[in-house]
Amino acid sequence: MLDYQAPNDLLKDKVILVTGAGDGIGRSAALHYASHGATVILLGRTTKKLEDVYDEIEERGHPQAAIIPLNLDTATEHDYIEIANTIQAEFGRIDGVLYNASILGDRTGLSNYEPSTFEQVMRVNVSSQFLMTQALMPLMLEAPEASIVFTTSSVGRKARAYWGAYAISKFATEAMMQLLADELENTSNVRVNAINPGATRTNMRAKAFPAENPASVMAPDDLMPLYLYLMGNDSTDVNGQSIDAQLRKDAKKSVN
């Protein structure tokens, strides 16, 4: 999976939603999905960033993308239902969802953790994924083969001091993935997995490790074989797996 060579038409005619598509891993995934034939729905908080990705997809001659600006911190259940209604009206189904958007929160002990920040992290990293999945599931069931890919972290498998709400949110993400995969296995066409990107050159990584040289960690583009594999039909039999996108030399510092 980690050295997977994706066919050029791997995602031809598929409709794929990417959250946090404006930069980092989400941007890279959106561009790679489009380059392999997908119509990509770009969802994020900053319209300008989404427009830049949209323009790059168009300039490369890939299928025309769509843009959905949304602040996951303030979005309501109604917003997610409206997104599902829009996708149904425009495309009739959805073949894949990459849950990439998340926020770091504070790097401090739980005894000092700001409650409002804790709640914000849980809204963005957990509740938004629950509400989006619930709204989109009827459309995913209309697809011949559908894939949901969550984004996890090493601190969502073994908690470490001072990772606060982020670690707790990633434990919840792992649970959501496992629960959905178990519920849908053998009863639907939808498979559910998670990717741990590991140490990757993103804005979140820079915030978590401000003294680190960005050139010392992997670029998002280097991780895309696994992102392509889990979104395409070659992974039809893979369900309920939490997969590392890279071999980590220092597991203590691995966070997307």
Side-chain angles (χ1 to χ4, degrees), residues 21-201:
D23 55 24
I25 291 172
R27 175 184 178 279
S28 181
L31 292 171
H32 278 77
Y33 291 159
S35 73
H36 286 79
T39 296
V40 183
I41 303 171
L42 308 168
L43 187 146
R45 182 178 57 185
T46 307
T47 301
K48 178 60 168 61
K49 290 182 178 181
L50 300 178
E51 290 174 343
D52 289 343
V53 179
Y54 177 99
D55 290 343
E56 189 166 350
I57 289 172
E58 189 171 62
E59 289 167 4
R60 295 183 182 185
H62 303 321
Q64 185 178 32
I67 291 177
I68 299 179
L70 184 70
N71 185 341
L72 299 178
D73 185 27
T74 58
T76 66
E77 179 183 3
H78 176 75
D79 293 321
Y80 295 104
I81 292 171
E82 284 300 300
I83 288 171
N85 289 340
T86 298
I87 293 173
Q88 182 177 36
E90 293 293 325
F91 305 106
R93 71 176 199 285
I94 190 162
D95 303 280
V97 178
L98 171 61
Y99 288 120
N100 166 75
S102 61
I103 59 175
L104 181 63
D106 293 334
R107 290 288 310 278
T108 188
L110 280 183
S111 61
N112 298 317
Y113 211 95
E114 177 62 43
S116 62
T117 301
F118 186 95
E119 293 171 357
Q120 180 187 35
V121 171
M122 298 305 288
R123 281 195 301 272
V124 174
N125 295 8
V126 182
S127 297
S128 69
Q129 297 178 156
F130 159 69
L131 291 167
M132 184 79 80
T133 300
Q134 195 171 65
L136 292 180
M137 188 56 66
L139 291 177
M140 300 200 79
L141 293 172
E142 293 296 322
E145 296 286 346
S147 175
I148 299 174
V149 179
F150 289 93
T151 301
T152 186
S153 171
S154 61
V155 297
R157 298 168 179 169
K158 179 175 175 53
R160 295 196 298 275
Y162 309 116
W163 282 96
Y166 181 81
I168 294 170
S169 75
K170 292 305 179 180
F171 268 86
T173 295
E174 290 270 351
M176 195 182 311
M177 179 275 289
Q178 293 175 24
L179 186 147
L180 272 172
D182 199 43
E183 289 179 350
L184 296 170
E185 188 172 25
N186 301 323
T187 63
S188 77
N189 58 326
V190 183
R191 61 193 184 279
V192 189
N193 297 283
I195 294 175
N196 170 25
T200 311
R201 202 177 306 157

